[in-house]
Amino acid sequence: MADWNPGAYLQYTDERSRPFTDLIARVPGSPATVVDLGCGPGHLTAVLRARWPDTRVTGVDASPAMIERARATDPGTEYVLGDLTTDDHTAELVVSNAALQWVPGHRDLLPALADRARRTFAFQVPGNHDAPSHLLLREVAARAPYADVAGPVERRATADPAEYLETLARPGWTVDTWETTYTHVLRGPDPVLRWISATGAQPTLQALEAADPALRARFEDELGTALRAAYPEHPYGTPLAFRRVFAVATRV
């Protein structure tokens, strides 16, 4: 993938921020230092500041576009360009929001990521990879001519709460895991297409755009038609059910 698009990602800031707010609400105490792995465009630093006004935050992200946007809009926070799996920053709280699902084999990395936290390791990942939105994305992308250009869409599966508990539970730690399904009410034309175009569909869209902008437009038309059927619009908007999985591991 060429890079993330901060503007597209921030179209649904409130909906994308809500799981992070719910995650940090379960973090005990008041950490003096926080490392945010996969910080994106820095919009969630405000959530951390609202809960812990005096905390010192370091944001880490592998996307140059995201880091550039974060530094421009939040110059008072340190933002570092880096791979969240190899970055060696430590803090009282190490947190990650909707980023680990992009890391192959992320479950095997969780104990090492937790070890970077002097007090608490907390993360949230989407658990909706078999929802109609993602099933249809994989189905349409597998058709010709798109599959010949962009290849198949990987199913980025995440674990269930009990599996994350099993991975993180070890002597000296207490672990809290849970899941929540949010029903977001989206508005405007093709809102589900716009939602996934900023995240799960972005690698496919970028590959098609690079090959032929007309091919990307054709793909978006086919996918949009399928998504409108799966997520019909109502007078109040378009409901999108979105499952999230959470974990908070704290040193005893």
Side-chain angles (χ1 to χ4, degrees), residues 60-71:
V60 180
D61 203 285
S63 163
M66 289 293 199
I67 290 296
E68 181 180 359
R69 177 66 174 262
R71 289 170 175 168

Side-chain angles (χ1 to χ4, degrees), residues 36 42 50 74 79 95 99 135 154 192 198 205 217:
D36 183 359
D74 185 21
Y79 290 101
V95 65
L135 288 172
E154 181 181 351
V192 180
L205 294 174

Side-chain angles (χ1 to χ4, degrees), residues 35-186:
V35 169
D36 183 359
L37 298 175
C39 64
H43 62 299
L44 295 178
T45 302
V47 179
L48 294 169
R49 301 279 187 218
R51 181 161 172 78
W52 303 297
D54 298 324
T55 193
R56 187 173 77 252
V57 180
T58 300
V60 180
D61 203 285
S63 163
M66 289 293 199
I67 290 296
E68 181 180 359
R69 177 66 174 262
R71 289 170 175 168
T73 57
D74 185 21
T77 298
E78 179 187 19
Y79 290 101
V80 178
L81 182 65
D83 186 330
L84 64 85
T85 65
T86 58
D87 176 79
D88 59 0
H89 284 85
T90 62
E92 290 186 8
L93 169 63
V94 174
V95 65
S96 181
N97 182 69
L100 291 173
Q101 75 276 9
W102 292 98
V103 179
H106 73 277
R107 185 175 168 185
D108 295 333
L109 300 175
L110 295 179
L113 293 176
D115 285 342
R116 300 183 197 175
R118 295 192 292 275
R119 182 182 298 174
T120 302
F121 172 54
F123 69 89
Q124 174 273 127
V125 289
N128 67 330
H129 297 285
D130 289 323
S133 56
H134 289 63
L135 288 172
L136 290 169
L137 170 62
R138 296 197 293 270
E139 177 185 314
V140 176
R143 299 172 186 166
Y146 315 121
D148 297 333
V149 175
V153 175
E154 181 181 351
R155 181 183 180 275
R156 299 184 181 276
T158 51
D160 292 329
E163 294 173 302
Y164 285 130
L165 172 63
E166 182 68 22
T167 299
L168 289 168
R170 48 187 170 150
W173 293 83
T174 60
V175 182
D176 180 17
T177 61
W178 71 98
E179 66 177 78
T180 298
T181 298
Y182 299 87
T183 302
H184 301 302
V185 178
L186 309 181

